[in-house]
Amino acid sequence: MARKLNKILFFVLKLAVSSGLLYFVLSKAGVERVLSVIKTVNPIFFIAAILIYIFSLYTASLRWRLLLPEEFKGQRLFSFYLIGSFFNTFLPGLVGGDAVKTYYLYKEINKGSLSFASVFMDRYLGFIAIMTIGLIAFAAGFQYIKGSLIEWLLPTIVFSFLIGSLVIFRFRLGKSIGLIAEFYEYFHAYRRQKTVIIKALALSFVIQTMSIMAIYVISLGLGQHIPLAYFFIFFPIIITIATLPISVSGIGLREGAFVFFFGMIGIEPETATAMSFTWFLSVACGGIIGLFRYLSLKIYKK
């Protein structure tokens, strides 16, 4: 009972953070001004962003397939990814997309540690890719950000990620616990499969690049001609901030990050907020397919 109460309390706190940040951003940008910018989006560019997002999910399901040692149909994993996207978008903070993917995979293979470890590894490789892209863009575009907050913020984020990886994989915390021990055995087995890891990393770079391009396409659809380099520099930081577990699915944090970082290059708050919301809408439109996949699986089971 106490554990359930703590979860509810934590969710309420995250909801308060998201609401407060969103209110702050919208009060600064102006709701009417944000909506007027969103209304100007070119439908062709918006549809293109949706298609890019769906294709990125499909590519991610191919990466996940590489991380599973047993025979498993890629189409099935793609369905799980779509369902996870739906839950992430339309039920934020209640059921996470990764938890949904883990659950459905577990129902298929009946191996909890393998299900959790593969989903974690899938997510972890994605973070490696986005951190690497950020560092490359940081070095290539240093002249654009020299003297700004990003000059130290991005390296700090990457360094923290490396420290966290060291703590998890080097010191193997909790390795004496049964389920966690199996979790580490999974990673130990995959350390020897370098070809698989290289392929999965390559797909991760493709996926993250597609995500960046989706936002860039959205900006073009809103009539903004921002140099592409800024998206490669800002996106890793925005994503990292949005994934901090202090808000409901990054709501408020994401919009605030858009306003802050794109504001550094002269983009107005209402335009930056509109970019964030329009990107979210494109993801939501792509994620709605997951609802139909979820319902079809429910019908199939019945």
Side-chain angles (χ1 to χ4, degrees):
M1 183 65 180
R3 185 177 179 182
K4 186 176 181 180
L5 185 62
N6 288 335
K7 285 184 177 181
I8 295 174
L9 179 61
F10 188 53
F11 175 74
V12 171
L13 289 174
K14 292 198 295 183
L15 185 62
V17 171
S18 287
S19 301
L21 288 172
L22 204 56
Y23 175 79
F24 175 77
V25 170
L26 290 176
S27 63
K28 184 177 181 180
V31 176
E32 292 184 359
R33 293 197 300 271
V34 171
L35 290 175
S36 66
V37 175
I38 293 175
K39 290 177 182 178
T40 65
V41 66
N42 187 315
I44 296 177
F45 287 89
F46 184 71
I47 293 172
I50 296 173
L51 294 176
I52 291 172
Y53 175 68
I54 294 173
F55 188 65
S56 72
L57 291 182
Y58 175 73
T59 308
S61 70
L62 297 180
R63 177 184 61 191
W64 192 14
R65 173 65 191 86
L66 289 171
L67 301 173
L68 291 169
E70 299 179 6
E71 289 296 326
F72 207 90
K73 292 182 179 180
Q75 184 179 357
R76 197 75 165 166
L77 295 177
F78 181 43
S79 295
F80 296 166
Y81 246 101
L82 288 171
I83 295 171
S85 174
F86 167 75
F87 275 86
N88 259 345
T89 306
F90 294 95
L91 296 172
L94 298 178
V95 183
D98 287 341
V100 170
K101 290 185 291 184
T102 302
Y103 169 77
Y104 275 104
L105 182 60
Y106 171 73
K107 295 292 286 185
E108 294 281 340
I109 63 178
N110 200 31
K111 293 182 179 179
S113 58
L114 173 59
S115 301
F116 173 71
S118 67
V119 171
F120 178 88
M121 189 67 166
D122 182 63
R123 174 72 70 173
Y124 180 74
L125 291 175
F127 269 108
I128 290 178
I130 197 63
M131 293 293 107
T132 304
I133 289 173
L135 280 179
I136 294 173
F138 175 82
F142 187 73
Q143 57 178 330
Y144 299 109
I145 58 176
K146 186 177 181 180
S148 69
L149 177 67
I150 303 176
E151 185 176 352
W152 61 267
L153 182 57
L154 183 58
T156 300
I157 290 173
V158 174
F159 180 73
S160 301
F161 178 73
L162 292 175
I163 293 298
S165 300
L166 180 66
V167 170
I168 293 174
F169 297 111
R170 177 63 178 174
F171 299 110
R172 304 181 69 176
L173 299 178
K175 61 182 178 180
S176 59
I177 302 174
L179 183 62
I180 298 180
E182 294 177 4
F183 173 81
Y184 284 118
E185 286 176 9
Y186 169 89
F187 291 107
H188 181 72
Y190 265 86
R191 285 177 59 185
R192 302 174 184 176
Q193 301 186 39
K194 294 182 180 180
T195 302
V196 172
I197 296 300
I198 290 173
K199 288 180 180 179
L201 269 175
L203 288 175
S204 295
F205 281 105
V206 172
I207 294 162
Q208 299 300 344
T209 300
M210 282 193 287
S211 297
I212 294 171
M213 292 306 299
I215 303 175
Y216 180 65
V217 167
I218 287 293
S219 71
L220 292 177
L222 291 170
Q224 301 300 308
H225 297 280
I226 305 169
L228 182 59
Y230 285 117
F231 290 87
F232 278 89
I233 296 171
F234 295 158
F235 184 76
I237 305 175
I238 292 173
I239 287 299
T240 303
I241 292 174
T243 54
L244 293 175
I246 60 173
S247 66
V248 179
S249 295
I251 298 173
L253 283 175
R254 180 178 55 249
E255 286 70 34
F258 263 86
V259 170
F260 179 81
F261 290 110
F262 283 97
M264 294 172 58
I265 58 173
I267 303 301
E268 295 295 329
E270 60 268 23
T271 303
T273 306
M275 284 169 53
S276 178
F277 279 139
T278 308
W279 178 41
F280 173 79
L281 288 173
S282 69
V283 170
C285 289
I288 197 69
I289 301 174
L291 172 61
F292 298 107
R293 294 302 303 157
Y294 172 72
L295 294 175
S296 66
L297 286 179
K298 294 285 285 185
I299 294 171
Y300 175 78
K301 286 181 180 179
K302 289 182 180 180

